[in-house]
């Protein structure tokens, strides 16, 4: 059963990688642009899913937090939520944000680190988990600015980003926490290793774009 699960997951991952990696290659200029024809709030909800650096960082961090069990996953998730809200409010009202390339590379680096820890099923104490939630919430919020929007549209898309980001990390953590059977734990570890490889590839492309300039 474990072999069949891994084979199916491997095929699914290859399809996902083929879709995600080209979208992350240099030349894509609209990573944070809203989807035309969609409400601003729902654009915000989808924002963490459609930006590869955000998706990889949230998923790997969520799985790592979930691997620690219910008792230790609550505090870092709450810390992530509050810091994410504060960072989104800061970028929304003060128009402060990280340079896009800096935020992307920091998030991808975090995804690589978290993915490796997921793959080896590393047990962490509460303090590192709290730090992980705080840093991730800050980076996601400060890398989600929408300077082209104003007023209600800007508030709606940033609110949606907060909702989408928290739901995504919550689902990732819950999936890892509910993986109690041996083959399920192996599946989570495989996902962590795949996410590490994906983040590393995208990170390499981002640095390659600098050398080509």
């Amino acid at each position: 059963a474990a072999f069949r699960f891994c084979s199916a997951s491997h095929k699914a991952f290859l399809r996902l990688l083929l879709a995600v990696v080209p979208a992350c290659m240099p030349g894509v200029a609209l990573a944070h642009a809203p989807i035309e024809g969609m409400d601003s709030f729902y654009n915000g909800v989808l924002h963490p899913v459609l930006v590869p650096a955000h998706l990889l960082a949230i998923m790997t961090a969520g799985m790592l937090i979930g691997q620690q069990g219910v008792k230790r996953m609550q505090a870092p998730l709450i810390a992530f939520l509050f810091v994410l809200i504060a960072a989104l409010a800061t970028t929304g009202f003060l128009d402060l944000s990280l340079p896009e390339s800096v935020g992307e590379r920091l998030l991808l680096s975090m995804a690589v680190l978290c993915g490796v820890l997921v793959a080896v099923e590393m047990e962490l104490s509460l303090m590192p988990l709290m730090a992980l939630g705080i840093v991730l919430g800050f980076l996601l919020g400060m890398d989600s600015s929408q300077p082209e929007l104003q007023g209600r549209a800007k508030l709606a898309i940033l609110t949606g980003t907060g909702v989408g980001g928290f739901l995504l990390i919550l689902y990732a953590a819950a999936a890892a926490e509910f993986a109690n059977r041996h083959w399920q734990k192996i599946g989570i570890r495989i996902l962590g290793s795949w996410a590490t490889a994906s983040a590393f590839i995208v990170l390499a492309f981002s640095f390659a774009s600098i050398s080509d300039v």
Side-chain angles (χ1 to χ4, degrees):
F3 178 78
R4 289 196 297 271
F5 172 80
C6 295
S7 299
S9 299
H10 188 210
K11 293 177 182 178
F13 170 75
L14 289 177
R15 296 190 189 101
L16 177 63
L17 189 62
L18 289 173
V20 169
V21 171
C24 307
M25 295 178 67
V28 177
L30 300 178
H32 296 276
I35 301 174
E36 293 184 7
M38 184 177 287
D39 179 80
S40 295
F41 175 78
Y42 293 106
N43 263 301
V45 171
L46 291 175
H47 176 82
V49 179
L50 298 178
V51 180
H54 291 203
L55 175 63
L56 290 168
I58 294 173
M59 292 298 294
T60 53
M63 288 189 294
L64 180 59
I65 291 172
Q67 282 182 327
Q68 312 306 312
V70 174
K71 291 183 178 179
R72 273 184 287 179
M73 66 186 281
Q74 296 176 7
L77 289 176
I78 293 172
F80 167 79
L81 176 61
F82 278 101
V83 174
L84 177 60
I85 292 172
L88 288 171
T90 299
T91 191
F93 291 108
L94 301 180
D95 287 326
L96 297 176
S97 63
L98 294 171
E100 186 172 341
S101 59
V102 172
E104 177 188 22
R105 288 172 192 142
L106 287 174
L107 287 166
L108 289 171
S109 299
M110 177 173 282
V112 170
L113 175 61
C114 291
V116 169
L117 296 179
V118 170
V120 300
E121 205 170 2
M122 177 68 70
E123 184 175 342
L124 300 175
S125 63
L126 183 58
M127 291 303 294
L129 292 172
M130 289 290 292
L132 173 63
I134 290 170
V135 172
L136 180 61
F138 174 79
L139 291 177
L140 285 172
M142 298 304 291
D143 194 51
S144 298
S145 63
Q146 298 290 343
E148 70 280 0
L149 299 179
Q150 298 295 330
R152 291 185 177 180
K154 188 173 189 178
L155 177 61
I157 199 168
L158 292 177
T159 301
T161 298
V163 172
F166 183 67
L167 288 177
L168 188 58
I169 196 172
L170 189 63
Y171 289 147
E177 197 279 325
F178 283 124
N180 296 320
R181 296 184 179 181
H182 180 66
W183 67 268
Q184 292 173 330
K185 291 182 178 181
I186 292 176
I188 293 295
R189 294 174 65 183
I190 291 173
L191 288 175
S193 65
W194 286 340
T196 299
S198 300
F200 188 80
I201 291 171
V202 180
L203 189 60
F205 277 130
S206 71
F207 281 106
S209 64
I210 295 179
S211 61
D212 292 339
V213 175

